[in-house]
Amino acid sequence: MSIGHTLLGLLESGPRHGYDLKRAFDEKFGHDRPLHYGQVYSTMSRLLKNGLVVVDGIEAGGGPERKRYAITEAGITDVAQWLTTPEKPEPYLQSTLYTKVVLALLTGRGAAELLDTQRAEHLRLMRELTRRKKDGDLADQLICDHALFHLEADLRWLELTAARLDRLAEEISR
């Protein structure tokens, strides 16, 4: 996820302080990985340097001064371009799990047990996400669906690999 583009998108509705941007980000996108304040301010500093935001005002408070940021026309254009650019699909051709299976076979360890343990972990996470989805709002349901679909694909791969372990062991031992 591009944090900079996300913060710019949040600024399109109007100027905000860094604290407000962090809170909005965490509410909409950061359920599992909230932003650190340092990330917000370093990103805003970069966006300011690149002319994508301006400081719209500075307020004195009980602590440090609070800068209010506003998006520029260049920032709006940048967000629009980012939104219309398709994301590159991740083909996962360098899978850690595949590497573990091959190494288990090469070293005489239990590749089938490794796959069983991984399957159990995937199923555990799927149950957790299904509970979260059931109790969540639409945004949470959609993000859980995305994760669940990926986990289902992984499970299909685990089953297929388990069915082909003998053949894989033969091929890699040559």
Side-chain angles (χ1 to χ4, degrees):
M1 173 189 313
S2 170
I3 293 171
H5 287 111
T6 306
L7 295 176
L8 284 172
L10 291 171
L11 282 172
E12 281 202 49
S13 64
R16 296 181 188 218
H17 297 96
Y19 174 82
D20 297 329
L21 285 167
K22 179 201 174 346
R23 192 177 69 233
F25 181 97
D26 289 352
E27 284 174 9
K28 300 288 185 203
F29 312 107
H31 289 75
D32 297 313
R33 196 177 297 170
L35 278 181
H36 296 286
Y37 284 105
Q39 270 183 295
V40 173
Y41 293 110
S42 64
T43 301
M44 295 312 295
S45 183
R46 182 177 43 80
L47 295 173
L48 187 62
K49 181 179 142 210
N50 293 336
L52 302 176
V53 297
V54 293
V55 175
D56 187 54
I58 298 177
E59 299 170 8
E65 293 179 332
R66 294 181 53 187
K67 292 179 184 174
R68 189 175 56 244
Y69 299 95
I71 192 168
T72 63
E73 285 300 318
I76 292 170
T77 301
D78 198 55
V79 171
Q81 288 174 336
W82 179 68
L83 288 173
T84 59
T85 303
E87 290 296 309
K88 181 181 178 206
E90 296 292 331
Y92 301 110
L93 294 177
Q94 293 297 318
S95 167
T96 302
L97 193 51
Y98 171 76
T99 302
K100 285 184 169 187
V101 169
V102 171
L103 284 175
L105 291 170
L106 287 173
T107 60
R109 291 183 172 93
E113 292 82 2
L114 182 153
L115 292 169
D116 288 342
T117 301
Q118 191 63 51
R119 185 181 306 105
E121 181 59 18
H122 270 64
L123 291 170
R124 182 201 63 75
L125 182 55
M126 289 176 82
R127 285 189 297 273
E128 183 181 311
L129 288 168
T130 301
R131 274 192 301 276
R132 177 176 160 184
K133 179 180 156 180
K134 188 180 83 170
D135 298 334
D137 60 10
L138 181 59
D140 214 28
Q141 290 170 13
L142 288 170
I143 197 69
C144 286
D145 280 339
H146 187 262
L148 284 164
F149 293 148
H150 282 273
L151 289 168
E152 286 174 5
D154 286 351
L155 279 175
R156 287 193 307 271
W157 182 85
L158 290 167
E159 295 299 326
L160 182 65
T161 303
R164 294 178 173 174
L165 268 182
D166 291 338
R167 190 168 138 210
L168 179 60
E170 269 180 41
E171 286 189 18
I172 64 171
S173 66
R174 293 183 204 165

